[in-house]
Amino acid sequence: MNQPDFVVKCYNKQDLAQMYFPDITVRASVNKLRRWMRRCQPLMDEILSTDFHPKTKAFSVREVRLITYYLLFNSMNFFSVANARPLSSDSLARAMHSSIVFSGRTT
């Protein structure tokens, strides 16, 4: 993301994808985000337990929190899907109810 502070809120899928992948087209960035989400089984398990539908045009606050939790930035400023792990009930509660501001910057 090119923004120093990322605020968890509802995002249009195109807007969120462009924040993560600003150097590619909108369509390619949405496809890439969707592909990374599908490859992270713990994320898909969590997100499908909500009212998520892949055809909707926007992510809810809860979905954005889950995405940012599972698709974390590692020390090299890339997403770390390989290190994804299931949420504990405490972690899930914190992710769902906190007013977390995620900070991060990619090159």
Side-chain angles (χ1 to χ4, degrees):
M1 289 188 191
N2 288 333
Q3 300 174 339
D5 293 321
F6 175 73
V7 178
V8 176
K9 64 177 187 172
C10 291
Y11 282 97
N12 177 295
K13 285 184 180 180
Q14 294 177 342
D15 294 339
L16 186 63
Q18 279 288 278
M19 284 185 225
Y20 286 123
F21 311 108
D23 297 330
I24 58 179
T25 66
V26 172
R27 185 177 180 131
S29 65
V30 170
N31 288 339
K32 189 170 188 174
L33 180 61
R34 185 178 326 135
R35 200 169 39 247
W36 283 23
M37 289 173 63
R38 281 195 318 260
R39 290 179 180 169
C40 182
Q41 193 58 49
L43 168 60
M44 291 309 296
D45 291 344
E46 291 282 342
I47 211 164
L48 290 173
S49 70
T50 68
D51 58 351
F52 174 77
H53 191 276
K55 299 290 184 186
T56 58
K57 301 287 183 193
F59 291 117
S60 70
V61 173
R62 183 168 191 242
E63 292 163 353
V64 171
R65 284 186 179 138
L66 287 169
I67 291 165
T68 56
Y69 179 83
Y70 282 106
L71 302 181
L72 300 173
F73 287 100
N74 68 17
S75 61
M76 297 182 69
N77 291 328
F78 295 103
F79 286 104
S80 177
V81 176
N83 295 329
R85 62 190 186 287
L87 286 172
S88 68
S89 58
D90 291 338
S91 297
L92 181 59
R94 281 195 304 275
M96 296 301 108
H97 300 292
S98 65
S99 58
I100 298 172
V101 174
F102 292 87
S103 295
R105 181 174 168 84
T106 62
T107 55

